[in-house]
Amino acid sequence: MATEPKLEIDALFAELTALACISEAKPPVVTRVVFSEADLRARAYVKGLCADAGLAVHEDAIGNTFARWQGAMPELAPVGTGSHIDAIPNAGSYDGTVGVLGGLEAIRALQRAGFRPRRSIELVIFTAEEPTRFGIGCLGSRMMGHVLTPAAALALRDKQGNGLEELRSQAGFAGALETVALPAGRFHQFVELHIEQGPLLEQEGIDLGLVTHIAAPASLRINIEGEGGHAGGKLMPGRKDALAAAAELILALESAAKSTGAIDTVGTVGVCEVFPGAVNSIPSRVRLETDVRDTDGARRDSVLDALHGACADVAQRRGVTITTELVNADPPAFCDPAILAAMEASAAEAGRSAKRMVSRAYHDSLFMTRIAPVAMLFIPCRGGVSHRPDEYASPEWIAGGVDVLARTLAKLTG
Ligand code: GLV
Ligand code: MN
Ligand code: MN
């Protein structure tokens, strides 16, 4: 007979709320940038909960955290679950955290039910899924999956010029970065629970999304060097206004993303830093950070090509210098049919509706596919809202996700 997980959803919801209060901003606004004081306090809180559940906790050289529930056959590779607890500025309470605390609750619900896994179950809390500090997303899982080399990681700096090495050691993480990459087979399988971050499940009244593939993200950093000067004294002819050039590029990206005609193509400029940033001074320098995604990698690349073309055109017409730096351009990832089938069977067993769908957001799972078979389970979030303080997932939605995650983990490890 299938294991019936014994969930304590009120306690889980209280933990999610407590975690959301560990923030650099005033609750309910969540800001938890990697290696900040809030990030370290949040890690300590979650590690404490893991220890209370009897899990053996260890951390790697970049701060990826592993909490293991030892199975009856510890020599077998574990099944992993988990997500991230860092949060972008002005974020909400559920992105990533539902996969971490929900993953922990899935383990506890199986423990309460008297289940004894054959394979160990390992909860993973990934370092810096969000690109806020270092400009690149999924730092921990990217290194774990051999996609970012230690040398490339050591070259990362935050906006204040602090290097990764200095920041990780201040945060208490040491050891050779080479040890972060894990061999294929270290995890038997990996399942990530996450909020959908889109509106479809709620709109369609469906409890769960079974993710079949994860869209391909890319990020291009653009530096524009123009010529500053007095906003009154310097006349319009012959100006080399870096921000006016940036404005053209922002619109060029929007138009390139729309022009593919595919609903899956999206392009965003989320960062625009202007120097010197004075109302009476012509901008001499601008830095843009762009985000381009698609379920089709080649179509995504065609948008990047169009953006590069626009850079060359704007530089030539406006007499500014434009340099670009491709931060990342990752291929899409595909979920494992066997785990999808186990999730589908678990949803049916739990009496929860489910549909297969694509993840338009990226996740640590994207990089875990490099070393293990992976799948993702989505729950609805109100209005599809995410990366905003009003992000919300109801206790009932969360309970559905944790219940099916627990049943899936039981099937994969029993
Ligand atoms: C993850 O946070 C993303 O931006 O998709
Ligand atoms: Mn996020
Ligand atoms: Mn997330």
Side-chain angles (χ1 to χ4, degrees):
M1 209 181 87
T3 305
E4 288 284 322
K6 293 197 186 325
L7 263 60
E8 292 185 1
I9 198 66
D10 291 347
L12 169 60
F13 207 75
E15 288 169 356
L16 282 163
T17 307
L19 181 54
C21 289
I22 307 176
S23 169
E24 295 162 58
K26 196 166 173 300
V29 179
V30 181
T31 298
R32 221 164 26 231
V33 176
V34 67
F35 300 149
S36 65
E37 190 265 337
D39 176 45
L40 299 183
R41 266 195 300 137
R43 287 167 181 265
Y45 174 65
V46 174
K47 283 186 284 183
L49 295 176
C50 291
D52 291 347
L55 310 185
V57 178
H58 81 273
E59 292 157 329
D60 71 10
I62 196 75
N64 289 315
T65 303
F66 306 81
R68 177 185 280 237
W69 182 20
Q70 185 97 287
M73 299 182 71
E75 65 281 11
L76 297 180
V79 171
T81 189
S83 192
H84 63 100
I85 59 169
D86 66 318
I88 64 161
N90 204 44
S93 309
Y94 304 92
D95 174 6
T97 57
V98 160
V100 170
L101 293 178
L104 174 59
E105 178 56 14
I107 290 173
R108 292 181 303 207
L110 291 174
Q111 290 174 336
R112 287 181 208 112
F115 176 75
R116 181 82 210 274
R118 200 167 56 89
R119 285 182 189 277
S120 302
I121 301 180
E122 209 161 295
L123 181 71
V124 188
I125 302 130
F126 294 98
T127 285
E129 191 266 355
E130 301 291 5
T132 311
R133 184 149 212 170
F134 296 111
I136 188 162
C138 299
L139 175 62
S141 52
R142 211 177 261 281
M143 292 185 73
M144 219 184 264
H146 305 247
V147 177
L148 185 75
T149 62
L154 285 174
L156 295 173
R157 310 213 150 263
D158 69 7
K159 291 201 177 87
Q160 287 70 43
N162 304 304
L164 176 82
E165 183 58 25
E166 180 189 344
L167 290 166
R168 75 157 176 148
S169 86
Q170 276 165 11
F173 302 114
L177 287 178
E178 283 71 17
T179 57
V180 176
L182 295 179
R186 162 66 177 79
F187 283 98
H188 180 63
Q189 288 157 323
F190 185 84
V191 193
E192 181 172 0
L193 173 67
H194 207 281
I195 55 170
E196 181 198 342
Q197 303 183 289
L200 301 180
L201 292 174
E202 186 192 32
Q203 275 171 10
E204 295 169 30
I206 293 176
D207 300 324
L208 297 159
L210 312 176
V211 174
T212 52
H213 55 296
I214 304 172
S219 177
L220 187 73
R221 199 172 283 149
I222 304 176
N223 293 300
I224 305 161
E225 194 83 45
E227 207 171 85
H230 195 286
K234 184 143 176 65
L235 299 179
M236 297 310 283
R239 278 197 188 195
K240 294 180 180 174
D241 182 326
L243 185 56
E248 283 207 46
L249 294 179
I250 294 169
L251 294 178
L253 173 57
E254 184 184 56
S255 132
K258 283 182 174 168
S259 73
T260 70
I263 190 83
D264 287 342
T265 320
V266 287
T268 307
V269 180
V271 173
C272 176
E273 283 172 8
V274 182
F275 183 84
V279 67
N280 54 354
S281 180
I282 300 164
S284 61
R285 217 160 56 220
V286 169
R287 175 177 133 120
L288 299 178
E289 289 184 19
T290 69
D291 179 306
V292 186
R293 311 187 194 199
D294 205 311
T295 48
D296 181 311
R299 203 166 50 204
R300 188 272 320 272
D301 288 345
S302 75
V303 175
L304 286 175
D305 289 346
L307 186 55
H308 275 119
C311 288
D313 169 49
V314 168
Q316 207 249 327
R317 270 194 294 106
R318 288 182 169 270
V320 296
T321 304
I322 302 182
T323 53
T324 60
E325 188 189 336
L326 188 62
V327 180
N328 64 288
D330 303 298
F334 298 89
C335 291
D336 179 67
I339 311 178
L340 278 164
M343 295 195 308
E344 207 147 48
S346 300
E349 221 170 82
R352 311 258 180 193
S353 53
K355 71 172 236 171
R356 293 188 176 219
M357 64 191 303
V358 51
S359 171
R360 294 170 198 288
Y362 59 71
H363 301 281
D364 294 302
S365 284
L366 184 67
F367 299 98
M368 288 303 280
T369 60
R370 305 299 182 102
I371 55 166
V374 169
M376 290 192 74
L377 191 56
F378 276 175
I379 58 168
C381 56
R382 188 177 57 198
V385 166
S386 183
H387 283 184
R388 270 172 36 185
D390 53 341
E391 177 180 89
Y392 179 73
S394 72
E396 180 46 30
W397 287 337
I398 296 171
V402 175
D403 184 14
V404 172
L405 175 64
R407 290 170 191 270
T408 303
L409 292 174
K411 283 193 206 311
L412 300 179
T413 61

